[in-house]
Amino acid sequence: MARTPVAGGGPQGGTEVPRGRTRWWRVAALVALPALVLLPLLVAFVGIVFSEDDDRGEGGRASERVPCAEALAFGGAVLPAGARPTGGCTVQGFQDIHYSAAFRMPRTGVQDWLIHTYPDAPQPAAGFCAGEAADLCLDLNHAEGLPDGVEAHVVRVRVVHEDAGTALVRFTAFTT
């Protein structure tokens, strides 16, 4: 083992301190290895989070078109008489399921449809609801207005009166 003299010590009686045998390249390799392994994972995560795919939902899965009857049935509803779907109805899900539907219907039939579909629900609220502008809003869960046997945990209905005779209804039903 090589010894290095202590400062001020010489051959006449100074004590020598053992010199370390640390191999710094090994330490550097042990520190760099986890960083090299984690770097591709970090790049993949950033790519997923900032992807420009607009069809991705909360769970990262793409939305799929489904029949509007399926989307409404998940929330315990049926398409009302005289309604016309707009665009398409979709489902997204992995662990939680999220159905959405949008349709236009006669404005005069909205209240009757809501009462018939959810007889135990509270009166729909009017105005600005949970961050969304709407003329009528209805938020339901199993403790408040959803009938037994409905698969969804939450149902939200937003109604916008487009003109004197037509209402746009946005319906979402999802699990939590």
Side-chain angles (χ1 to χ4, degrees), residues 110-170:
V110 172
Q111 288 282 359
D112 291 339
W113 175 70
L114 288 172
I115 291 169
H116 176 71
T117 304
Y118 303 111
D120 297 329
Q123 277 294 110
F128 199 74
C129 324
E132 298 177 64
D135 294 306
L136 290 175
C137 306
L138 186 61
D139 293 331
L140 304 171
N141 57 44
H142 282 290
E144 194 174 309
L146 271 181
D148 292 334
V150 173
E151 293 180 69
H153 298 161
V154 177
V155 170
R156 291 188 178 142
V157 180
R158 302 294 185 257
V159 180
V160 175
H161 299 149
E162 293 185 316
D163 57 38
T166 307
L168 174 63
V169 179
R170 289 189 180 93

Short mmCIF file of all heavy atoms in Angstrom, two decimals, residues 110-170:
data_model
loop_
_atom_site.label_atom_id
_atom_site.label_comp_id
_atom_site.label_asym_id
_atom_site.label_seq_id
_atom_site.Cartn_x
_atom_site.Cartn_y
_atom_site.Cartn_z
N VAL A 110 -87.80 19.04 -23.56
CA VAL A 110 -86.65 18.75 -22.70
C VAL A 110 -87.08 18.42 -21.28
O VAL A 110 -86.67 17.40 -20.70
CB VAL A 110 -85.63 19.91 -22.72
CG1 VAL A 110 -84.54 19.69 -21.68
CG2 VAL A 110 -85.02 20.07 -24.10
N GLN A 111 -87.89 19.27 -20.68
CA GLN A 111 -88.32 19.05 -19.28
C GLN A 111 -89.06 17.73 -19.14
O GLN A 111 -88.81 16.97 -18.19
CB GLN A 111 -89.22 20.20 -18.80
CG GLN A 111 -88.48 21.49 -18.56
CD GLN A 111 -87.71 21.48 -17.24
OE1 GLN A 111 -87.71 20.54 -16.47
NE2 GLN A 111 -87.00 22.58 -17.00
N ASP A 112 -89.96 17.43 -20.08
CA ASP A 112 -90.71 16.17 -20.01
C ASP A 112 -89.77 14.97 -20.14
O ASP A 112 -89.93 13.97 -19.43
CB ASP A 112 -91.78 16.11 -21.11
CG ASP A 112 -92.91 17.09 -20.87
OD1 ASP A 112 -93.09 17.52 -19.71
OD2 ASP A 112 -93.60 17.44 -21.85
N TRP A 113 -88.79 15.06 -21.03
CA TRP A 113 -87.83 13.96 -21.20
C TRP A 113 -87.04 13.74 -19.91
O TRP A 113 -86.87 12.61 -19.48
CB TRP A 113 -86.90 14.27 -22.38
CG TRP A 113 -85.81 13.25 -22.54
CD1 TRP A 113 -85.94 11.96 -22.96
CD2 TRP A 113 -84.42 13.44 -22.27
NE1 TRP A 113 -84.71 11.33 -22.97
CE2 TRP A 113 -83.77 12.22 -22.55
CE3 TRP A 113 -83.67 14.51 -21.82
CZ2 TRP A 113 -82.40 12.06 -22.40
CZ3 TRP A 113 -82.30 14.35 -21.67
CH2 TRP A 113 -81.68 13.13 -21.96
N LEU A 114 -86.57 14.81 -19.30
CA LEU A 114 -85.80 14.69 -18.06
C LEU A 114 -86.65 14.09 -16.93
O LEU A 114 -86.20 13.21 -16.20
CB LEU A 114 -85.24 16.04 -17.63
CG LEU A 114 -84.09 16.57 -18.48
CD1 LEU A 114 -83.74 18.00 -18.08
CD2 LEU A 114 -82.87 15.67 -18.38
N ILE A 115 -87.89 14.55 -16.80
CA ILE A 115 -88.77 14.04 -15.73
C ILE A 115 -89.10 12.57 -15.96
O ILE A 115 -89.10 11.76 -15.02
CB ILE A 115 -90.06 14.89 -15.64
CG1 ILE A 115 -89.70 16.28 -15.10
CG2 ILE A 115 -91.11 14.22 -14.77
CD1 ILE A 115 -90.85 17.29 -15.22
N HIS A 116 -89.35 12.20 -17.21
CA HIS A 116 -89.67 10.81 -17.53
C HIS A 116 -88.45 9.90 -17.32
O HIS A 116 -88.57 8.79 -16.82
CB HIS A 116 -90.17 10.70 -18.98
CG HIS A 116 -90.42 9.30 -19.42
ND1 HIS A 116 -91.47 8.54 -18.95
CD2 HIS A 116 -89.73 8.50 -20.28
CE1 HIS A 116 -91.41 7.33 -19.50
NE2 HIS A 116 -90.37 7.29 -20.31
N THR A 117 -87.26 10.39 -17.70
CA THR A 117 -86.04 9.59 -17.61
C THR A 117 -85.55 9.46 -16.17
O THR A 117 -85.14 8.38 -15.74
CB THR A 117 -84.93 10.21 -18.48
OG1 THR A 117 -85.42 10.32 -19.81
CG2 THR A 117 -83.68 9.35 -18.48
N TYR A 118 -85.59 10.54 -15.42
CA TYR A 118 -85.08 10.57 -14.04
C TYR A 118 -86.15 11.13 -13.10
O TYR A 118 -86.07 12.28 -12.66
CB TYR A 118 -83.80 11.40 -13.96
CG TYR A 118 -82.72 10.91 -14.89
CD1 TYR A 118 -82.31 11.66 -15.99
CD2 TYR A 118 -82.09 9.69 -14.66
CE1 TYR A 118 -81.34 11.20 -16.85
CE2 TYR A 118 -81.11 9.22 -15.52
CZ TYR A 118 -80.74 9.98 -16.62
OH TYR A 118 -79.76 9.52 -17.46
N PRO A 119 -87.16 10.32 -12.78
CA PRO A 119 -88.28 10.82 -11.98
C PRO A 119 -87.90 11.24 -10.56
O PRO A 119 -88.56 12.09 -9.97
CB PRO A 119 -89.27 9.65 -11.96
CG PRO A 119 -88.49 8.45 -12.35
CD PRO A 119 -87.34 8.92 -13.16
N ASP A 120 -86.84 10.68 -9.99
CA ASP A 120 -86.44 11.02 -8.63
C ASP A 120 -85.38 12.12 -8.57
O ASP A 120 -84.87 12.44 -7.49
CB ASP A 120 -85.90 9.77 -7.91
CG ASP A 120 -86.97 8.70 -7.77
OD1 ASP A 120 -88.16 9.07 -7.64
OD2 ASP A 120 -86.61 7.51 -7.80
N ALA A 121 -85.06 12.69 -9.71
CA ALA A 121 -84.01 13.71 -9.77
C ALA A 121 -84.53 15.05 -9.28
O ALA A 121 -85.72 15.34 -9.39
CB ALA A 121 -83.51 13.85 -11.20
N PRO A 122 -83.64 15.87 -8.76
CA PRO A 122 -84.05 17.24 -8.40
C PRO A 122 -84.33 18.06 -9.66
O PRO A 122 -83.97 17.64 -10.76
CB PRO A 122 -82.83 17.78 -7.64
CG PRO A 122 -81.69 16.96 -8.11
CD PRO A 122 -82.24 15.60 -8.46
N GLN A 123 -84.92 19.20 -9.50
CA GLN A 123 -85.18 20.09 -10.63
C GLN A 123 -83.85 20.49 -11.27
O GLN A 123 -82.88 20.76 -10.57
CB GLN A 123 -85.90 21.36 -10.16
CG GLN A 123 -87.40 21.20 -10.01
CD GLN A 123 -88.05 20.97 -11.34
OE1 GLN A 123 -88.53 19.87 -11.60
NE2 GLN A 123 -88.08 21.96 -12.21
N PRO A 124 -83.80 20.54 -12.59
CA PRO A 124 -82.56 20.99 -13.25
C PRO A 124 -82.25 22.44 -12.86
O PRO A 124 -83.15 23.25 -12.69
CB PRO A 124 -82.88 20.90 -14.73
CG PRO A 124 -84.06 19.99 -14.83
CD PRO A 124 -84.81 20.12 -13.56
N ALA A 125 -80.99 22.72 -12.69
CA ALA A 125 -80.55 24.08 -12.38
C ALA A 125 -80.48 24.89 -13.66
O ALA A 125 -80.27 24.35 -14.74
CB ALA A 125 -79.19 24.05 -11.70
N ALA A 126 -80.66 26.18 -13.53
CA ALA A 126 -80.58 27.07 -14.69
C ALA A 126 -79.34 27.93 -14.58
O ALA A 126 -78.94 28.31 -13.49
CB ALA A 126 -81.83 27.95 -14.76
N GLY A 127 -78.72 28.19 -15.72
CA GLY A 127 -77.58 29.09 -15.74
C GLY A 127 -76.25 28.39 -15.83
O GLY A 127 -76.12 27.33 -16.41
N PHE A 128 -75.25 29.00 -15.23
CA PHE A 128 -73.86 28.56 -15.30
C PHE A 128 -73.67 27.38 -14.35
O PHE A 128 -73.91 27.49 -13.16
CB PHE A 128 -72.96 29.72 -14.90
CG PHE A 128 -71.55 29.56 -15.33
CD1 PHE A 128 -71.21 29.71 -16.66
CD2 PHE A 128 -70.58 29.27 -14.43
CE1 PHE A 128 -69.90 29.58 -17.07
CE2 PHE A 128 -69.26 29.13 -14.82
CZ PHE A 128 -68.93 29.30 -16.15
N CYS A 129 -73.24 26.22 -14.86
CA CYS A 129 -73.12 25.02 -14.04
C CYS A 129 -71.74 24.41 -14.14
O CYS A 129 -71.31 24.04 -15.22
CB CYS A 129 -74.12 23.95 -14.48
SG CYS A 129 -75.69 24.58 -15.03
N ALA A 130 -71.08 24.29 -13.02
CA ALA A 130 -69.79 23.60 -12.91
C ALA A 130 -68.84 23.98 -14.04
O ALA A 130 -68.28 23.13 -14.72
CB ALA A 130 -70.00 22.09 -12.88
N GLY A 131 -68.68 25.26 -14.25
CA GLY A 131 -67.73 25.72 -15.25
C GLY A 131 -68.24 25.71 -16.67
O GLY A 131 -67.49 25.98 -17.59
N GLU A 132 -69.49 25.39 -16.90
CA GLU A 132 -70.05 25.35 -18.24
C GLU A 132 -71.25 26.27 -18.34
O GLU A 132 -72.08 26.31 -17.43
CB GLU A 132 -70.51 23.93 -18.59
CG GLU A 132 -69.41 22.89 -18.60
CD GLU A 132 -69.97 21.52 -18.87
OE1 GLU A 132 -70.51 21.30 -19.97
OE2 GLU A 132 -69.86 20.67 -17.98
N ALA A 133 -71.36 26.98 -19.43
CA ALA A 133 -72.53 27.80 -19.67
C ALA A 133 -73.63 26.92 -20.25
O ALA A 133 -73.41 26.19 -21.20
CB ALA A 133 -72.21 28.93 -20.63
N ALA A 134 -74.78 26.92 -19.61
CA ALA A 134 -75.91 26.12 -20.08
C ALA A 134 -77.20 26.75 -19.57
O ALA A 134 -77.20 27.45 -18.56
CB ALA A 134 -75.80 24.68 -19.59
N ASP A 135 -78.28 26.48 -20.29
CA ASP A 135 -79.57 26.98 -19.83
C ASP A 135 -80.17 26.08 -18.77
O ASP A 135 -80.88 26.56 -17.88
CB ASP A 135 -80.53 27.12 -21.03
CG ASP A 135 -80.04 28.18 -22.00
OD1 ASP A 135 -79.81 29.33 -21.55
OD2 ASP A 135 -79.86 27.88 -23.19
N LEU A 136 -79.91 24.80 -18.85
CA LEU A 136 -80.35 23.84 -17.83
C LEU A 136 -79.22 22.86 -17.56
O LEU A 136 -78.53 22.43 -18.47
CB LEU A 136 -81.57 23.03 -18.30
CG LEU A 136 -82.89 23.75 -18.43
CD1 LEU A 136 -83.94 22.83 -19.03
CD2 LEU A 136 -83.36 24.25 -17.08
N CYS A 137 -79.05 22.49 -16.29
CA CYS A 137 -78.02 21.53 -15.90
C CYS A 137 -78.62 20.51 -14.95
O CYS A 137 -79.40 20.86 -14.07
CB CYS A 137 -76.88 22.21 -15.16
SG CYS A 137 -76.17 23.57 -16.06
N LEU A 138 -78.22 19.29 -15.11
CA LEU A 138 -78.65 18.23 -14.21
C LEU A 138 -77.46 17.33 -13.93
O LEU A 138 -76.87 16.77 -14.85
CB LEU A 138 -79.80 17.43 -14.84
CG LEU A 138 -80.46 16.39 -13.96
CD1 LEU A 138 -81.10 17.02 -12.73
CD2 LEU A 138 -81.52 15.62 -14.75
N ASP A 139 -77.07 17.24 -12.66
CA ASP A 139 -75.98 16.37 -12.23
C ASP A 139 -76.55 15.34 -11.27
O ASP A 139 -77.10 15.69 -10.24
CB ASP A 139 -74.88 17.18 -11.52
CG ASP A 139 -74.16 18.14 -12.46
OD1 ASP A 139 -74.08 17.84 -13.66
OD2 ASP A 139 -73.68 19.17 -11.98
N LEU A 140 -76.38 14.06 -11.64
CA LEU A 140 -76.96 12.99 -10.85
C LEU A 140 -75.92 11.96 -10.45
O LEU A 140 -74.94 11.75 -11.17
CB LEU A 140 -78.07 12.27 -11.64
CG LEU A 140 -79.20 13.13 -12.18
CD1 LEU A 140 -80.07 12.31 -13.11
CD2 LEU A 140 -80.01 13.68 -11.03
N ASN A 141 -76.15 11.31 -9.33
CA ASN A 141 -75.35 10.14 -8.94
C ASN A 141 -76.31 9.18 -8.24
O ASN A 141 -77.50 9.45 -8.12
CB ASN A 141 -74.16 10.54 -8.06
CG ASN A 141 -74.59 11.29 -6.82
OD1 ASN A 141 -75.55 10.94 -6.16
ND2 ASN A 141 -73.87 12.36 -6.50
N HIS A 142 -75.81 8.05 -7.77
CA HIS A 142 -76.70 7.05 -7.17
C HIS A 142 -77.34 7.55 -5.88
O HIS A 142 -78.42 7.09 -5.52
CB HIS A 142 -75.96 5.73 -6.95
CG HIS A 142 -75.82 4.94 -8.22
ND1 HIS A 142 -76.89 4.33 -8.84
CD2 HIS A 142 -74.75 4.69 -9.00
CE1 HIS A 142 -76.48 3.73 -9.94
NE2 HIS A 142 -75.18 3.93 -10.07
N ALA A 143 -76.70 8.45 -5.20
CA ALA A 143 -77.29 8.99 -3.96
C ALA A 143 -78.32 10.06 -4.28
O ALA A 143 -79.15 10.38 -3.43
CB ALA A 143 -76.20 9.57 -3.07
N GLU A 144 -78.30 10.60 -5.48
CA GLU A 144 -79.17 11.71 -5.80
C GLU A 144 -79.77 11.59 -7.20
O GLU A 144 -79.28 12.15 -8.17
CB GLU A 144 -78.36 13.01 -5.71
CG GLU A 144 -79.22 14.25 -5.68
CD GLU A 144 -78.37 15.48 -5.43
OE1 GLU A 144 -77.58 15.48 -4.47
OE2 GLU A 144 -78.50 16.42 -6.22
N GLY A 145 -80.81 10.79 -7.35
CA GLY A 145 -81.60 10.81 -8.56
C GLY A 145 -81.38 9.74 -9.60
O GLY A 145 -82.23 9.57 -10.47
N LEU A 146 -80.28 9.00 -9.58
CA LEU A 146 -80.10 7.96 -10.58
C LEU A 146 -80.91 6.73 -10.20
O LEU A 146 -80.85 6.28 -9.05
CB LEU A 146 -78.62 7.56 -10.70
CG LEU A 146 -77.77 8.33 -11.68
CD1 LEU A 146 -76.36 7.79 -11.70
CD2 LEU A 146 -78.35 8.35 -13.05
N PRO A 147 -81.65 6.18 -11.13
CA PRO A 147 -82.44 4.98 -10.83
C PRO A 147 -81.54 3.76 -10.56
O PRO A 147 -80.39 3.71 -11.00
CB PRO A 147 -83.27 4.75 -12.10
CG PRO A 147 -83.09 5.96 -12.95
CD PRO A 147 -81.87 6.67 -12.49
N ASP A 148 -82.07 2.79 -9.86
CA ASP A 148 -81.35 1.54 -9.62
C ASP A 148 -81.12 0.84 -10.96
O ASP A 148 -81.92 0.93 -11.88
CB ASP A 148 -82.15 0.61 -8.70
CG ASP A 148 -82.25 1.16 -7.29
OD1 ASP A 148 -81.34 1.92 -6.89
OD2 ASP A 148 -83.22 0.82 -6.59
N GLY A 149 -80.01 0.14 -11.06
CA GLY A 149 -79.69 -0.61 -12.26
C GLY A 149 -78.92 0.16 -13.31
O GLY A 149 -78.52 -0.40 -14.31
N VAL A 150 -78.70 1.45 -13.10
CA VAL A 150 -77.93 2.25 -14.05
C VAL A 150 -76.45 1.95 -13.81
O VAL A 150 -75.98 1.97 -12.68
CB VAL A 150 -78.23 3.76 -13.87
CG1 VAL A 150 -77.29 4.59 -14.72
CG2 VAL A 150 -79.67 4.05 -14.21
N GLU A 151 -75.73 1.66 -14.88
CA GLU A 151 -74.31 1.30 -14.76
C GLU A 151 -73.43 2.50 -14.40
O GLU A 151 -72.43 2.34 -13.71
CB GLU A 151 -73.81 0.70 -16.07
CG GLU A 151 -74.43 -0.64 -16.40
CD GLU A 151 -73.90 -1.17 -17.70
OE1 GLU A 151 -72.71 -1.54 -17.75
OE2 GLU A 151 -74.67 -1.20 -18.68
N ALA A 152 -73.77 3.67 -14.87
CA ALA A 152 -72.96 4.86 -14.62
C ALA A 152 -73.04 5.25 -13.15
O ALA A 152 -74.05 5.03 -12.48
CB ALA A 152 -73.45 6.02 -15.49
N HIS A 153 -71.95 5.83 -12.66
CA HIS A 153 -71.93 6.37 -11.30
C HIS A 153 -72.41 7.82 -11.28
O HIS A 153 -72.94 8.29 -10.29
CB HIS A 153 -70.53 6.31 -10.72
CG HIS A 153 -70.00 4.92 -10.59
ND1 HIS A 153 -68.66 4.65 -10.46
CD2 HIS A 153 -70.61 3.70 -10.59
CE1 HIS A 153 -68.46 3.35 -10.38
NE2 HIS A 153 -69.64 2.76 -10.47
N VAL A 154 -72.17 8.52 -12.38
CA VAL A 154 -72.53 9.93 -12.50
C VAL A 154 -73.12 10.18 -13.88
O VAL A 154 -72.63 9.63 -14.87
CB VAL A 154 -71.30 10.86 -12.29
CG1 VAL A 154 -71.66 12.31 -12.49
CG2 VAL A 154 -70.68 10.64 -10.92
N VAL A 155 -74.17 10.99 -13.93
CA VAL A 155 -74.76 11.42 -15.20
C VAL A 155 -74.85 12.94 -15.16
O VAL A 155 -75.29 13.52 -14.16
CB VAL A 155 -76.17 10.82 -15.42
CG1 VAL A 155 -76.86 11.47 -16.60
CG2 VAL A 155 -76.08 9.32 -15.62
N ARG A 156 -74.42 13.57 -16.26
CA ARG A 156 -74.53 15.03 -16.39
C ARG A 156 -75.25 15.35 -17.68
O ARG A 156 -74.92 14.83 -18.73
CB ARG A 156 -73.15 15.67 -16.40
CG ARG A 156 -72.45 15.59 -15.08
CD ARG A 156 -71.18 16.41 -15.07
NE ARG A 156 -70.59 16.32 -13.74
CZ ARG A 156 -69.31 16.24 -13.50
NH1 ARG A 156 -68.45 16.26 -14.50
NH2 ARG A 156 -68.86 16.14 -12.27
N VAL A 157 -76.22 16.24 -17.56
CA VAL A 157 -76.98 16.69 -18.73
C VAL A 157 -76.86 18.21 -18.78
O VAL A 157 -77.13 18.89 -17.79
CB VAL A 157 -78.46 16.27 -18.64
CG1 VAL A 157 -79.21 16.76 -19.87
CG2 VAL A 157 -78.59 14.77 -18.47
N ARG A 158 -76.43 18.72 -19.92
CA ARG A 158 -76.34 20.17 -20.15
C ARG A 158 -77.21 20.50 -21.35
O ARG A 158 -77.07 19.91 -22.41
CB ARG A 158 -74.90 20.61 -20.44
CG ARG A 158 -73.90 20.26 -19.34
CD ARG A 158 -74.20 21.05 -18.08
NE ARG A 158 -73.22 20.86 -17.05
CZ ARG A 158 -73.39 20.08 -15.98
NH1 ARG A 158 -74.50 19.39 -15.83
NH2 ARG A 158 -72.47 19.99 -15.05
N VAL A 159 -78.11 21.47 -21.18
CA VAL A 159 -79.05 21.86 -22.23
C VAL A 159 -78.81 23.32 -22.58
O VAL A 159 -78.78 24.18 -21.69
CB VAL A 159 -80.51 21.66 -21.77
CG1 VAL A 159 -81.48 22.08 -22.87
CG2 VAL A 159 -80.75 20.22 -21.34
N VAL A 160 -78.63 23.59 -23.87
CA VAL A 160 -78.47 24.96 -24.36
C VAL A 160 -79.62 25.21 -25.33
O VAL A 160 -79.82 24.46 -26.28
CB VAL A 160 -77.11 25.14 -25.08
CG1 VAL A 160 -77.01 26.53 -25.69
CG2 VAL A 160 -75.97 24.88 -24.12
N HIS A 161 -80.38 26.28 -25.07
CA HIS A 161 -81.48 26.66 -25.97
C HIS A 161 -80.87 27.41 -27.15
O HIS A 161 -80.41 28.54 -27.01
CB HIS A 161 -82.49 27.53 -25.24
CG HIS A 161 -83.13 26.82 -24.09
ND1 HIS A 161 -83.56 27.47 -22.96
CD2 HIS A 161 -83.41 25.51 -23.88
CE1 HIS A 161 -84.06 26.60 -22.11
NE2 HIS A 161 -83.99 25.40 -22.64
N GLU A 162 -80.85 26.75 -28.30
CA GLU A 162 -80.22 27.35 -29.48
C GLU A 162 -81.11 28.41 -30.13
O GLU A 162 -80.62 29.41 -30.61
CB GLU A 162 -79.88 26.27 -30.49
CG GLU A 162 -78.80 25.34 -30.00
CD GLU A 162 -78.36 24.35 -31.03
OE1 GLU A 162 -79.20 23.75 -31.73
OE2 GLU A 162 -77.14 24.17 -31.15
N ASP A 163 -82.38 28.15 -30.17
CA ASP A 163 -83.33 29.13 -30.69
C ASP A 163 -84.68 28.85 -30.02
O ASP A 163 -84.76 28.06 -29.09
CB ASP A 163 -83.42 29.08 -32.23
CG ASP A 163 -83.79 27.70 -32.77
OD1 ASP A 163 -84.63 27.02 -32.14
OD2 ASP A 163 -83.26 27.31 -33.83
N ALA A 164 -85.72 29.48 -30.50
CA ALA A 164 -87.03 29.36 -29.84
C ALA A 164 -87.58 27.94 -29.87
O ALA A 164 -88.38 27.57 -29.02
CB ALA A 164 -88.03 30.32 -30.48
N GLY A 165 -87.14 27.12 -30.84
CA GLY A 165 -87.72 25.80 -30.95
C GLY A 165 -86.78 24.63 -30.72
O GLY A 165 -87.21 23.49 -30.64
N THR A 166 -85.46 24.88 -30.64
CA THR A 166 -84.49 23.79 -30.59
C THR A 166 -83.58 23.91 -29.36
O THR A 166 -83.16 24.99 -28.99
CB THR A 166 -83.59 23.80 -31.85
OG1 THR A 166 -84.44 23.80 -33.00
CG2 THR A 166 -82.68 22.60 -31.89
N ALA A 167 -83.29 22.74 -28.79
CA ALA A 167 -82.35 22.67 -27.66
C ALA A 167 -81.24 21.69 -28.02
O ALA A 167 -81.50 20.63 -28.60
CB ALA A 167 -83.06 22.22 -26.40
N LEU A 168 -80.01 22.05 -27.68
CA LEU A 168 -78.87 21.16 -27.83
C LEU A 168 -78.64 20.51 -26.47
O LEU A 168 -78.44 21.21 -25.47
CB LEU A 168 -77.63 21.92 -28.27
CG LEU A 168 -76.33 21.12 -28.31
CD1 LEU A 168 -76.42 20.00 -29.33
CD2 LEU A 168 -75.15 22.04 -28.61
N VAL A 169 -78.67 19.18 -26.43
CA VAL A 169 -78.49 18.44 -25.19
C VAL A 169 -77.15 17.73 -25.25
O VAL A 169 -76.87 16.98 -26.19
CB VAL A 169 -79.63 17.41 -24.98
CG1 VAL A 169 -79.41 16.63 -23.70
CG2 VAL A 169 -80.99 18.11 -24.98
N ARG A 170 -76.31 17.97 -24.24
CA ARG A 170 -75.04 17.24 -24.09
C ARG A 170 -75.19 16.32 -22.89
O ARG A 170 -75.44 16.78 -21.78
CB ARG A 170 -73.89 18.21 -23.91
CG ARG A 170 -73.57 18.97 -25.16
CD ARG A 170 -72.27 19.76 -25.00
NE ARG A 170 -71.99 20.49 -26.22
CZ ARG A 170 -72.37 21.74 -26.44
NH1 ARG A 170 -73.03 22.39 -25.53
NH2 ARG A 170 -72.06 22.32 -27.57
#
